DNA sequence: CATTTTTAAACGGTATACCGTTATACAAGG
DNA sequence: CCTTGTATAACGGTATACCGTTTAAAAATG
């Protein structure tokens, strides 16, 4: 069933990884020809990959059409936070029926999060949980919005890596505990209750980040 | 200050117009070569325009990479409605300070709406008002989200044209009255009140549409 | 040494060409 | 008449080439 993934797609994936790994640091120029040489492909798929990454919020184009790795400012984080606060409780409310029908996906993500040792794994487990909730909402556009928020969020978190590294263990326990509470709420309480709890969860997440806002 | 607009941009604008005018009806194939011939340009900028229109929600790609004018179903409208209900009250709440500082833009849009004679002008005035509110929120991502919602909304409304045409006058009066109330609320009451009133406004808009949901 | 001018390299926008895949219309067979 | 096979046209993905613009470095000037 897998379609032979296009060069543009794999180029986008590769660049996304390099950006989030900070191999391509904030503000770095992504020149079509140079990237094409490095990836051993022509400029055309590179160009498309850059557009896709712009849509994801990882790349921005200057007035003269040059692509740079986006530099997130504190007010960008603020915007992302406000949007999470608006969209995730909505997603949680809508997701309750589907999760009740089959909570296994959330459970397995939760188990993986519990076993996370590195900050990278923890972040991944955290965001995967939230993404699974959004997917369970059955709201296609909401999922797309979330994915775009997620990419920018990961970019932001990548910049905070050092400051977060030491607190991995405590953060992990808090995250797992919070997510467990959410999961129980999804299965046992009303959609409105799920909505409210998700709002609190996102709010406390935003409050405990070492973000210079 | 104007950049010599790129061929891809003008191609996107042209196609957008033709889609909303239903010159390119729902489901129509947008073949790169054919469009390129019609617009007298090469396939490359057409290709980029199609990607841009996909981002706007006016075009969707089949599994084999073919671009078609998107066909909106009632559940798509539902999704759009739910998102408006989540995002527009938020935008209204954030916009209150900026609108109080300078309500002139909203006022002039309102005046134009009041003079609208065709359904097209009325719809434009309605959506322009909402877009101006979102812009006043100062939330760049919220504005981008709204623009994408707006495009799909216009596509949906284009499909209902006949059913709405007769009610233009009454709709216009209701719209103008509602928007006047909103504007007054922005200038005189609290952000939370503005948020609530916007929620009601969007909700009643969704309720009075002849949408087969 | 600071500032301006010149120049060469880099870059993006676009056109064209090639190839394998997909769709489609038509013909053969049931 | 419907199904199935096949040929052909259409289409998308990609590579390469050209050109004007932007950028950045070097050179000239004060």
């Amino acid at each position: 069933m897998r379609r032979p993934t296009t060069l543009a797609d794999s180029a986008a994936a590769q660049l996304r990884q390099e950006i989030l790994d900070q191999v391509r640091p904030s503000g770095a120029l992504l020149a079509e020809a140079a990237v094409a040489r490095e990836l051993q492909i022509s400029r055309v798929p590179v160009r498309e990959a850059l557009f896709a990454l712009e849509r994801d919020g990882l790349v921005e184009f200057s007035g003269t059409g040059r692509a740079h790795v986006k530099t997130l400012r504190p007010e960008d984080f603020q915007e992302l936070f406000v949007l999470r606060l608006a969209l995730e409780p909505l997603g949680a409310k809508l997701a309750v029926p589907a999760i009740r029908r089959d909570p296994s996906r959330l459970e397995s993500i939760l188990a993986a999060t519990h076993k996370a040792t590195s900050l990278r794994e923890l972040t991944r487990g955290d965001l995967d949980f939230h993404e699974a909730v959004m997917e369970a909402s059955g709201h296609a556009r909401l999922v797309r919005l979330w994915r775009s928020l997620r990419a920018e969020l990961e970019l932001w978190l990548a910049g905070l890596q050092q400051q977060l590294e030491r607190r991995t263990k405590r953060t992990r326990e808090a995250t797992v505990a919070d997510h467990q509470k959410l999961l129980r709420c999804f299965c046992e309480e009303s959609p409105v209750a799920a909505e409210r709890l998700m709002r609190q969860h996102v709010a406390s997440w935003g409050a405990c980040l070492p973000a210079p806002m």
PDB file of all heavy atoms in Angstrom, chain C residues 22-27, chain D residues 5-9:
ATOM      1  P    DT C  22       1.336   4.130 -10.987  1.00  0.00           P
ATOM      2  OP1  DT C  22       1.197   4.293  -9.532  1.00  0.00           O
ATOM      3  OP2  DT C  22       1.392   2.788 -11.594  1.00  0.00           O
ATOM      4  O5'  DT C  22       0.171   4.969 -11.682  1.00  0.00           O
ATOM      5  C5'  DT C  22       0.164   6.377 -11.544  1.00  0.00           C
ATOM      6  C4'  DT C  22      -0.930   6.977 -12.414  1.00  0.00           C
ATOM      7  O4'  DT C  22      -0.528   6.950 -13.804  1.00  0.00           O
ATOM      8  C3'  DT C  22      -2.277   6.233 -12.351  1.00  0.00           C
ATOM      9  O3'  DT C  22      -3.284   7.206 -12.225  1.00  0.00           O
ATOM     10  C2'  DT C  22      -2.354   5.513 -13.693  1.00  0.00           C
ATOM     11  C1'  DT C  22      -1.607   6.494 -14.590  1.00  0.00           C
ATOM     12  N1   DT C  22      -1.015   5.916 -15.834  1.00  0.00           N
ATOM     13  C2   DT C  22      -1.251   6.540 -17.041  1.00  0.00           C
ATOM     14  O2   DT C  22      -1.924   7.533 -17.155  1.00  0.00           O
ATOM     15  N3   DT C  22      -0.640   5.932 -18.118  1.00  0.00           N
ATOM     16  C4   DT C  22       0.155   4.800 -18.113  1.00  0.00           C
ATOM     17  O4   DT C  22       0.638   4.348 -19.138  1.00  0.00           O
ATOM     18  C5   DT C  22       0.353   4.198 -16.804  1.00  0.00           C
ATOM     19  C7   DT C  22       1.189   2.965 -16.674  1.00  0.00           C
ATOM     20  C6   DT C  22      -0.231   4.778 -15.750  1.00  0.00           C
ATOM     21  P    DA C  23      -4.774   6.827 -11.827  1.00  0.00           P
ATOM     22  OP1  DA C  23      -5.212   7.757 -10.770  1.00  0.00           O
ATOM     23  OP2  DA C  23      -4.838   5.364 -11.606  1.00  0.00           O
ATOM     24  O5'  DA C  23      -5.566   7.200 -13.145  1.00  0.00           O
ATOM     25  C5'  DA C  23      -5.594   8.552 -13.558  1.00  0.00           C
ATOM     26  C4'  DA C  23      -5.952   8.628 -15.034  1.00  0.00           C
ATOM     27  O4'  DA C  23      -5.033   7.822 -15.784  1.00  0.00           O
ATOM     28  C3'  DA C  23      -7.363   8.132 -15.385  1.00  0.00           C
ATOM     29  O3'  DA C  23      -7.956   9.106 -16.223  1.00  0.00           O
ATOM     30  C2'  DA C  23      -7.100   6.827 -16.135  1.00  0.00           C
ATOM     31  C1'  DA C  23      -5.764   7.144 -16.790  1.00  0.00           C
ATOM     32  N9   DA C  23      -4.973   5.978 -17.191  1.00  0.00           N
ATOM     33  C8   DA C  23      -4.502   4.970 -16.384  1.00  0.00           C
ATOM     34  N7   DA C  23      -3.796   4.056 -17.032  1.00  0.00           N
ATOM     35  C5   DA C  23      -3.802   4.510 -18.341  1.00  0.00           C
ATOM     36  C6   DA C  23      -3.232   3.994 -19.523  1.00  0.00           C
ATOM     37  N6   DA C  23      -2.512   2.868 -19.558  1.00  0.00           N
ATOM     38  N1   DA C  23      -3.421   4.696 -20.663  1.00  0.00           N
ATOM     39  C2   DA C  23      -4.151   5.824 -20.624  1.00  0.00           C
ATOM     40  N3   DA C  23      -4.732   6.398 -19.571  1.00  0.00           N
ATOM     41  C4   DA C  23      -4.518   5.688 -18.455  1.00  0.00           C
ATOM     42  P    DT C  24      -9.594   9.161 -16.345  1.00  0.00           P
ATOM     43  OP1  DT C  24      -9.982  10.542 -16.009  1.00  0.00           O
ATOM     44  OP2  DT C  24     -10.185   8.017 -15.613  1.00  0.00           O
ATOM     45  O5'  DT C  24      -9.833   8.946 -17.895  1.00  0.00           O
ATOM     46  C5'  DT C  24      -8.871   9.463 -18.820  1.00  0.00           C
ATOM     47  C4'  DT C  24      -9.003   8.743 -20.151  1.00  0.00           C
ATOM     48  O4'  DT C  24      -8.074   7.630 -20.210  1.00  0.00           O
ATOM     49  C3'  DT C  24     -10.386   8.133 -20.406  1.00  0.00           C
ATOM     50  O3'  DT C  24     -10.739   8.366 -21.755  1.00  0.00           O
ATOM     51  C2'  DT C  24     -10.173   6.649 -20.158  1.00  0.00           C
ATOM     52  C1'  DT C  24      -8.762   6.501 -20.705  1.00  0.00           C
ATOM     53  N1   DT C  24      -8.047   5.278 -20.251  1.00  0.00           N
ATOM     54  C2   DT C  24      -7.240   4.612 -21.142  1.00  0.00           C
ATOM     55  O2   DT C  24      -7.076   4.968 -22.285  1.00  0.00           O
ATOM     56  N3   DT C  24      -6.630   3.498 -20.627  1.00  0.00           N
ATOM     57  C4   DT C  24      -6.743   2.993 -19.338  1.00  0.00           C
ATOM     58  O4   DT C  24      -6.149   1.984 -19.002  1.00  0.00           O
ATOM     59  C5   DT C  24      -7.609   3.738 -18.461  1.00  0.00           C
ATOM     60  C7   DT C  24      -7.814   3.294 -17.035  1.00  0.00           C
ATOM     61  C6   DT C  24      -8.212   4.843 -18.949  1.00  0.00           C
ATOM     62  P    DA C  25     -12.310   8.663 -22.136  1.00  0.00           P
ATOM     63  OP1  DA C  25     -12.618  10.057 -21.781  1.00  0.00           O
ATOM     64  OP2  DA C  25     -13.153   7.570 -21.596  1.00  0.00           O
ATOM     65  O5'  DA C  25     -12.286   8.534 -23.733  1.00  0.00           O
ATOM     66  C5'  DA C  25     -11.055   8.672 -24.426  1.00  0.00           C
ATOM     67  C4'  DA C  25     -10.802   7.456 -25.303  1.00  0.00           C
ATOM     68  O4'  DA C  25     -10.169   6.420 -24.518  1.00  0.00           O
ATOM     69  C3'  DA C  25     -12.076   6.821 -25.889  1.00  0.00           C
ATOM     70  O3'  DA C  25     -11.864   6.549 -27.268  1.00  0.00           O
ATOM     71  C2'  DA C  25     -12.261   5.553 -25.083  1.00  0.00           C
ATOM     72  C1'  DA C  25     -10.800   5.183 -24.802  1.00  0.00           C
ATOM     73  N9   DA C  25     -10.613   4.296 -23.647  1.00  0.00           N
ATOM     74  C8   DA C  25     -11.249   4.351 -22.445  1.00  0.00           C
ATOM     75  N7   DA C  25     -10.876   3.418 -21.598  1.00  0.00           N
ATOM     76  C5   DA C  25      -9.932   2.689 -22.292  1.00  0.00           C
ATOM     77  C6   DA C  25      -9.144   1.558 -21.957  1.00  0.00           C
ATOM     78  N6   DA C  25      -9.214   0.947 -20.762  1.00  0.00           N
ATOM     79  N1   DA C  25      -8.288   1.089 -22.895  1.00  0.00           N
ATOM     80  C2   DA C  25      -8.227   1.708 -24.081  1.00  0.00           C
ATOM     81  N3   DA C  25      -8.911   2.772 -24.512  1.00  0.00           N
ATOM     82  C4   DA C  25      -9.747   3.225 -23.562  1.00  0.00           C
ATOM     83  P    DC C  26     -13.134   6.190 -28.221  1.00  0.00           P
ATOM     84  OP1  DC C  26     -13.399   7.385 -29.033  1.00  0.00           O
ATOM     85  OP2  DC C  26     -14.232   5.613 -27.403  1.00  0.00           O
ATOM     86  O5'  DC C  26     -12.557   5.039 -29.146  1.00  0.00           O
ATOM     87  C5'  DC C  26     -11.143   4.800 -29.160  1.00  0.00           C
ATOM     88  C4'  DC C  26     -10.872   3.299 -29.186  1.00  0.00           C
ATOM     89  O4'  DC C  26     -10.724   2.784 -27.833  1.00  0.00           O
ATOM     90  C3'  DC C  26     -11.996   2.467 -29.825  1.00  0.00           C
ATOM     91  O3'  DC C  26     -11.420   1.524 -30.701  1.00  0.00           O
ATOM     92  C2'  DC C  26     -12.640   1.783 -28.625  1.00  0.00           C
ATOM     93  C1'  DC C  26     -11.416   1.561 -27.761  1.00  0.00           C
ATOM     94  N1   DC C  26     -11.721   1.256 -26.336  1.00  0.00           N
ATOM     95  C2   DC C  26     -10.986   0.256 -25.683  1.00  0.00           C
ATOM     96  O2   DC C  26     -10.101  -0.351 -26.292  1.00  0.00           O
ATOM     97  N3   DC C  26     -11.282  -0.030 -24.374  1.00  0.00           N
ATOM     98  C4   DC C  26     -12.245   0.638 -23.743  1.00  0.00           C
ATOM     99  N4   DC C  26     -12.485   0.327 -22.466  1.00  0.00           N
ATOM    100  C5   DC C  26     -13.002   1.658 -24.399  1.00  0.00           C
ATOM    101  C6   DC C  26     -12.710   1.929 -25.686  1.00  0.00           C
ATOM    102  P    DA C  27     -12.332   0.889 -31.896  1.00  0.00           P
ATOM    103  OP1  DA C  27     -12.015   1.629 -33.128  1.00  0.00           O
ATOM    104  OP2  DA C  27     -13.736   0.786 -31.445  1.00  0.00           O
ATOM    105  O5'  DA C  27     -11.731  -0.583 -32.007  1.00  0.00           O
ATOM    106  C5'  DA C  27     -10.335  -0.799 -31.818  1.00  0.00           C
ATOM    107  C4'  DA C  27     -10.113  -2.133 -31.108  1.00  0.00           C
ATOM    108  O4'  DA C  27     -10.480  -2.000 -29.718  1.00  0.00           O
ATOM    109  C3'  DA C  27     -10.958  -3.282 -31.670  1.00  0.00           C
ATOM    110  O3'  DA C  27     -10.145  -4.449 -31.792  1.00  0.00           O
ATOM    111  C2'  DA C  27     -12.051  -3.481 -30.635  1.00  0.00           C
ATOM    112  C1'  DA C  27     -11.332  -3.065 -29.345  1.00  0.00           C
ATOM    113  N9   DA C  27     -12.240  -2.577 -28.301  1.00  0.00           N
ATOM    114  C8   DA C  27     -13.189  -1.602 -28.424  1.00  0.00           C
ATOM    115  N7   DA C  27     -13.863  -1.373 -27.326  1.00  0.00           N
ATOM    116  C5   DA C  27     -13.320  -2.248 -26.410  1.00  0.00           C
ATOM    117  C6   DA C  27     -13.595  -2.499 -25.051  1.00  0.00           C
ATOM    118  N6   DA C  27     -14.532  -1.837 -24.366  1.00  0.00           N
ATOM    119  N1   DA C  27     -12.861  -3.437 -24.419  1.00  0.00           N
ATOM    120  C2   DA C  27     -11.917  -4.095 -25.121  1.00  0.00           C
ATOM    121  N3   DA C  27     -11.576  -3.949 -26.402  1.00  0.00           N
ATOM    122  C4   DA C  27     -12.309  -3.001 -26.993  1.00  0.00           C
TER     123       DA C  27
ATOM    124  P    DG D   5      -8.094  -9.645 -18.544  1.00  0.00           P
ATOM    125  OP1  DG D   5      -7.670 -11.029 -18.242  1.00  0.00           O
ATOM    126  OP2  DG D   5      -7.963  -8.599 -17.515  1.00  0.00           O
ATOM    127  O5'  DG D   5      -7.300  -9.173 -19.840  1.00  0.00           O
ATOM    128  C5'  DG D   5      -7.590  -9.806 -21.083  1.00  0.00           C
ATOM    129  C4'  DG D   5      -7.197  -8.875 -22.232  1.00  0.00           C
ATOM    130  O4'  DG D   5      -8.107  -7.744 -22.253  1.00  0.00           O
ATOM    131  C3'  DG D   5      -5.783  -8.293 -22.116  1.00  0.00           C
ATOM    132  O3'  DG D   5      -5.126  -8.446 -23.359  1.00  0.00           O
ATOM    133  C2'  DG D   5      -6.012  -6.824 -21.775  1.00  0.00           C
ATOM    134  C1'  DG D   5      -7.366  -6.544 -22.414  1.00  0.00           C
ATOM    135  N9   DG D   5      -8.147  -5.477 -21.787  1.00  0.00           N
ATOM    136  C8   DG D   5      -8.549  -5.408 -20.469  1.00  0.00           C
ATOM    137  N7   DG D   5      -9.252  -4.342 -20.200  1.00  0.00           N
ATOM    138  C5   DG D   5      -9.319  -3.664 -21.409  1.00  0.00           C
ATOM    139  C6   DG D   5      -9.952  -2.437 -21.729  1.00  0.00           C
ATOM    140  O6   DG D   5     -10.605  -1.697 -20.983  1.00  0.00           O
ATOM    141  N1   DG D   5      -9.782  -2.116 -23.086  1.00  0.00           N
ATOM    142  C2   DG D   5      -9.080  -2.874 -23.987  1.00  0.00           C
ATOM    143  N2   DG D   5      -9.010  -2.406 -25.238  1.00  0.00           N
ATOM    144  N3   DG D   5      -8.478  -4.019 -23.694  1.00  0.00           N
ATOM    145  C4   DG D   5      -8.645  -4.343 -22.393  1.00  0.00           C
ATOM    146  P    DT D   6      -3.545  -8.201 -23.425  1.00  0.00           P
ATOM    147  OP1  DT D   6      -2.956  -9.272 -24.261  1.00  0.00           O
ATOM    148  OP2  DT D   6      -3.016  -7.952 -22.072  1.00  0.00           O
ATOM    149  O5'  DT D   6      -3.502  -6.830 -24.244  1.00  0.00           O
ATOM    150  C5'  DT D   6      -4.370  -6.669 -25.379  1.00  0.00           C
ATOM    151  C4'  DT D   6      -4.288  -5.233 -25.880  1.00  0.00           C
ATOM    152  O4'  DT D   6      -5.220  -4.388 -25.149  1.00  0.00           O
ATOM    153  C3'  DT D   6      -2.929  -4.565 -25.734  1.00  0.00           C
ATOM    154  O3'  DT D   6      -2.661  -3.824 -26.908  1.00  0.00           O
ATOM    155  C2'  DT D   6      -3.120  -3.636 -24.546  1.00  0.00           C
ATOM    156  C1'  DT D   6      -4.549  -3.201 -24.779  1.00  0.00           C
ATOM    157  N1   DT D   6      -5.231  -2.633 -23.598  1.00  0.00           N
ATOM    158  C2   DT D   6      -5.977  -1.498 -23.751  1.00  0.00           C
ATOM    159  O2   DT D   6      -6.123  -0.924 -24.816  1.00  0.00           O
ATOM    160  N3   DT D   6      -6.576  -1.033 -22.601  1.00  0.00           N
ATOM    161  C4   DT D   6      -6.493  -1.594 -21.330  1.00  0.00           C
ATOM    162  O4   DT D   6      -7.077  -1.087 -20.372  1.00  0.00           O
ATOM    163  C5   DT D   6      -5.689  -2.782 -21.238  1.00  0.00           C
ATOM    164  C7   DT D   6      -5.541  -3.476 -19.913  1.00  0.00           C
ATOM    165  C6   DT D   6      -5.101  -3.242 -22.364  1.00  0.00           C
ATOM    166  P    DA D   7      -1.173  -3.674 -27.467  1.00  0.00           P
ATOM    167  OP1  DA D   7      -0.923  -4.707 -28.491  1.00  0.00           O
ATOM    168  OP2  DA D   7      -0.265  -3.560 -26.312  1.00  0.00           O
ATOM    169  O5'  DA D   7      -1.251  -2.260 -28.213  1.00  0.00           O
ATOM    170  C5'  DA D   7      -2.382  -1.967 -29.025  1.00  0.00           C
ATOM    171  C4'  DA D   7      -2.753  -0.497 -28.911  1.00  0.00           C
ATOM    172  O4'  DA D   7      -3.386  -0.260 -27.627  1.00  0.00           O
ATOM    173  C3'  DA D   7      -1.568   0.465 -28.987  1.00  0.00           C
ATOM    174  O3'  DA D   7      -1.926   1.572 -29.799  1.00  0.00           O
ATOM    175  C2'  DA D   7      -1.339   0.879 -27.539  1.00  0.00           C
ATOM    176  C1'  DA D   7      -2.760   0.853 -26.991  1.00  0.00           C
ATOM    177  N9   DA D   7      -2.838   0.643 -25.546  1.00  0.00           N
ATOM    178  C8   DA D   7      -2.174  -0.280 -24.804  1.00  0.00           C
ATOM    179  N7   DA D   7      -2.465  -0.244 -23.520  1.00  0.00           N
ATOM    180  C5   DA D   7      -3.391   0.787 -23.416  1.00  0.00           C
ATOM    181  C6   DA D   7      -4.095   1.330 -22.323  1.00  0.00           C
ATOM    182  N6   DA D   7      -3.959   0.887 -21.066  1.00  0.00           N
ATOM    183  N1   DA D   7      -4.938   2.355 -22.582  1.00  0.00           N
ATOM    184  C2   DA D   7      -5.081   2.795 -23.830  1.00  0.00           C
ATOM    185  N3   DA D   7      -4.473   2.352 -24.943  1.00  0.00           N
ATOM    186  C4   DA D   7      -3.634   1.342 -24.659  1.00  0.00           C
ATOM    187  P    DT D   8      -0.816   2.507 -30.427  1.00  0.00           P
ATOM    188  OP1  DT D   8      -0.968   2.470 -31.881  1.00  0.00           O
ATOM    189  OP2  DT D   8       0.474   2.186 -29.783  1.00  0.00           O
ATOM    190  O5'  DT D   8      -1.290   3.942 -29.923  1.00  0.00           O
ATOM    191  C5'  DT D   8      -2.691   4.189 -29.763  1.00  0.00           C
ATOM    192  C4'  DT D   8      -2.906   5.333 -28.791  1.00  0.00           C
ATOM    193  O4'  DT D   8      -3.011   4.850 -27.425  1.00  0.00           O
ATOM    194  C3'  DT D   8      -1.783   6.370 -28.765  1.00  0.00           C
ATOM    195  O3'  DT D   8      -2.357   7.643 -28.675  1.00  0.00           O
ATOM    196  C2'  DT D   8      -1.030   6.029 -27.487  1.00  0.00           C
ATOM    197  C1'  DT D   8      -2.208   5.655 -26.601  1.00  0.00           C
ATOM    198  N1   DT D   8      -1.849   4.885 -25.374  1.00  0.00           N
ATOM    199  C2   DT D   8      -2.545   5.140 -24.208  1.00  0.00           C
ATOM    200  O2   DT D   8      -3.434   5.952 -24.130  1.00  0.00           O
ATOM    201  N3   DT D   8      -2.147   4.376 -23.142  1.00  0.00           N
ATOM    202  C4   DT D   8      -1.146   3.417 -23.118  1.00  0.00           C
ATOM    203  O4   DT D   8      -0.881   2.789 -22.104  1.00  0.00           O
ATOM    204  C5   DT D   8      -0.469   3.207 -24.378  1.00  0.00           C
ATOM    205  C7   DT D   8       0.639   2.196 -24.479  1.00  0.00           C
ATOM    206  C6   DT D   8      -0.842   3.939 -25.436  1.00  0.00           C
ATOM    207  P    DA D   9      -1.688   8.926 -29.366  1.00  0.00           P
ATOM    208  OP1  DA D   9      -2.137   9.000 -30.759  1.00  0.00           O
ATOM    209  OP2  DA D   9      -0.245   8.883 -29.049  1.00  0.00           O
ATOM    210  O5'  DA D   9      -2.368  10.128 -28.555  1.00  0.00           O
ATOM    211  C5'  DA D   9      -3.699   9.964 -28.094  1.00  0.00           C
ATOM    212  C4'  DA D   9      -3.811  10.400 -26.636  1.00  0.00           C
ATOM    213  O4'  DA D   9      -3.263   9.375 -25.769  1.00  0.00           O
ATOM    214  C3'  DA D   9      -3.076  11.693 -26.293  1.00  0.00           C
ATOM    215  O3'  DA D   9      -3.985  12.569 -25.658  1.00  0.00           O
ATOM    216  C2'  DA D   9      -1.932  11.246 -25.378  1.00  0.00           C
ATOM    217  C1'  DA D   9      -2.515   9.996 -24.736  1.00  0.00           C
ATOM    218  N9   DA D   9      -1.513   9.026 -24.282  1.00  0.00           N
ATOM    219  C8   DA D   9      -0.501   8.472 -25.006  1.00  0.00           C
ATOM    220  N7   DA D   9       0.233   7.611 -24.337  1.00  0.00           N
ATOM    221  C5   DA D   9      -0.332   7.605 -23.080  1.00  0.00           C
ATOM    222  C6   DA D   9      -0.016   6.900 -21.893  1.00  0.00           C
ATOM    223  N6   DA D   9       0.995   6.029 -21.799  1.00  0.00           N
ATOM    224  N1   DA D   9      -0.793   7.125 -20.809  1.00  0.00           N
ATOM    225  C2   DA D   9      -1.807   7.997 -20.911  1.00  0.00           C
ATOM    226  N3   DA D   9      -2.203   8.711 -21.958  1.00  0.00           N
ATOM    227  C4   DA D   9      -1.417   8.468 -23.022  1.00  0.00           C
TER     228       DA D   9
END
